[in-house]
Amino acid sequence: MTEQQTDLNKVLKQHLEMESFFAGDFSVRGGGQLFAEVPAETRPGQENSDMAQALEAIAKTVRSCRKCEIGSTRTNAVPGQGNPKTRLMFVGEAPGADEDQQGLAFVGRAGKLLTDIITAMGLTREEVFIGNILKCRPPGNRDPKLDEIDNCWPYLKQQLETIQPEIIVALGAHAARTLLDTKEAIGKLRGRFHEYKFSDDLPPAKLMPTYHPAYLLRNYSYDNRKRVWEDMMKVLKELDLPIPKKKG
Ligand code: URA
């Protein structure tokens, strides 16, 4: 067997085991409520359809944005997608090659794992909102640059203020550090709730940093998967949603 075939087999085996950890081994009780009926007093004048329109307006601006160089190297901008009424939002780092091709967040390998995690939580992608710190793919999937984060930040900020999720899951160091305005390591930040302040007159969201799915795929260990699952169980508990039980 060639080295390349061995690597492919390893990746396949890892992925299958990962799937069973996050999805296959759990039976989902279901029955929770993940949509907030928008309370008029907290979002004056904003009905649910207004929120969808506001998000589409942000997405339109993102698609025509050329503030950074990566605005010219992208195939598609990736504004993020999901349910405007959701109580739960996932924020990643930046689109990769698959996302750049399709204009949708988390649709590649890391996205497949994120879907497994969401499924294991007893939820669907359509029930949550999934976005990123950067809306354009950095060439070669390099780390986001500080000026790119600064340029792109207003779009995510507006999305957050429009949706006002109760809980934000920050996927990986770049998302957690940007949203919390800190340089702390993800290993130190994850596993407990922090606060994300929308503005002075709105109640803050709870923010749970956890490992990025791409990091999990690269650092495949039972302990890392268990840590992410523990973080997600805290999220479910905070949302007062049922925690799926492990079978057997
Ligand atoms: N990684 C991210 O951080 N975001 C995506 O959309 C895809 C991969």
Side-chain angles (χ1 to χ4, degrees), residues 78 91-97 99 104-108 110-111 130-134 171 212-214:
V78 180
V91 178
E93 179 181 319
E99 290 76 19
L104 293 168
F106 279 97
V107 289
I130 303 174
N132 280 304
I133 298 289
L134 291 194
L171 299 165
H212 193 287

Side-chain angles (χ1 to χ4, degrees), residues 44-56:
Q46 267 196 307
E47 299 300 328
N48 292 328
S49 57
D50 291 344
M51 289 159 68
Q53 271 177 23
L55 288 174
E56 190 39 48

